[in-house]
Amino acid sequence: MTGVQTCALPIYIVMALFLQGDHFSLSDKKRNFDYYEELTTGDSSLSACIQGIVSSELGYLDLAKKYLRQTVLIDLQDLNGNVCDGVHTASMAGSWMSVIYGFAGMRDPGGPLCFSPRLPTGIDEISFKINYFSCLLSVVITQEKVVYELLEGDSLKLFNYFSEIYLVPGKRTIISLHPELRAVFIDHQVNYNIDNLVSEIEEAGIKCVVLAEKDGMVPPPDPELFLASAELLKERRWDCLGITTRPEGETAIKSAEMACMKVTNFKDLTLNGIRSIHEEYSLNWNRGINYP
C-alpha cells in the first residue's frame, strides 16, 4: 500500500460508517470515528462533508458545523488555494448532503426513508423537499420540532428515529424533538438493594435497566454499554439518563450523550430528583458533546 493510500484510508472508513450505516451500531460508529478522526488528513475536498455527516450523527454538533462551513466555503473563500483551477463541484453537492444527511439525518436503507433530525445551536430552521418514488415530501425542522407533509402521492411511510410515521396528503405531521425521559440506566456497583427504586421508575412508565458486572457482560463505565442499551431499547440517547456513583461512570455517561446523575448513595435517589436532572439536561441538549 502506498503512502497516499495509507493517508486516505481513514476517510474511507468514516465514509463506510455513513454509506453502510445500517451495518454498524452507534457504538461501532463512535469507536471508529473517535479513533480515525484525528488520523484523517482532510486533504481531499470530499472529506469535510462526510466527516461532518458522521459528526452530526454522533452528537459532535460543533464539529459538524465546522465541517459544514468548510464544505460550503471551499470555493467562496478559496480554502484550498486552488479555485483558480476551477470550482469543487463535489463540495457543492456535499453542502446539500451535510444538511440533509447530517442535521436532518436522512437515510435510505432500502426500505422506508428514515430521519433523525436535530439542529445545533446557531441554526434555527432548515426546510427542503424530497422526491421519493412517486411522492413529494416536505420536511421542515426547527430547534423544537419537525414537520412532515406529503405534497404529492397517495401515502408514504417513514421513520422518525425509531417511530413509524404514516403520511397522507393534506395532513401535516408535527413531532416534538424536545428530550423526554424514557429510560434510566443504573451503573450499579455497590451492595445496596435498588428494587424499590427500579419499581417506582417502571411504574411511572419509564424503562429501567441495571448495568452490573455479571453474566460476562462488558461492565460499565464503558460508554458503549450505555449506547448499546439505548439502541436495544430503541430510545434516543438524550431521552435517557444514567445514574452512577463513580467519576469514571459519570465520564462514560456524558460521553454517551445522556443526562447524568452522580450520587454518593443510591438510597438518596428519588424519581422526582431523576426527573429534575433530566429536565435540566434537556434545556441544552442541542449543544451536543465535544469531540474528545
Side-chain angles (χ1 to χ4, degrees), residues 49-169:
C49 76
I50 300 300
Q51 291 169 263
I53 290 167
V54 181
S55 298
S56 183
E57 183 177 2
L58 294 175
Y60 300 133
L61 300 184
D62 284 343
L63 187 60
K65 285 197 297 182
K66 185 196 83 169
Y67 281 129
L68 171 63
R69 179 179 178 84
Q70 184 176 330
T71 302
V72 171
L73 297 179
I74 189 169
D75 290 324
L76 294 175
Q77 293 189 353
D78 197 12
L79 299 182
N80 285 12
N82 58 2
V83 75
C84 60
D85 297 324
V87 297
H88 296 80
T89 54
S91 288
M92 295 178 183
S95 301
W96 183 89
M97 292 172 62
S98 297
V99 174
I100 308 305
Y101 293 125
F103 299 131
M106 190 182 81
R107 300 290 187 273
D108 183 5
L113 279 177
C114 302
F115 293 90
S116 52
R118 185 184 184 193
L119 299 186
T121 55
I123 299 179
D124 295 327
E125 180 178 318
I126 62 174
S127 61
F128 56 94
K129 296 180 177 65
I130 291 290
N131 275 302
Y132 188 69
F133 291 98
S134 59
C135 297
L136 179 60
L137 171 67
S138 167
V139 182
V140 180
I141 304 167
T142 70
Q143 290 282 345
E144 297 294 331
K145 66 180 183 295
V146 56
V147 181
Y148 299 108
E149 184 175 5
L150 184 61
L151 302 179
E152 297 178 8
D154 296 329
S155 64
L156 180 65
K157 181 175 79 170
L158 56 84
F159 277 88
N160 183 81
Y161 288 97
F162 299 105
S163 301
E164 282 189 348
I165 307 297
Y166 293 90
L167 303 179
V168 294

Side-chain angles (χ1 to χ4, degrees), residues 31-46:
R31 186 187 333 110
N32 280 277
F33 184 86
D34 287 354
Y35 178 78
Y36 284 109
E37 170 63 13
E38 63 177 306
L39 301 178
T40 305
T41 62
D43 293 340
S44 169
S45 61
L46 306 179

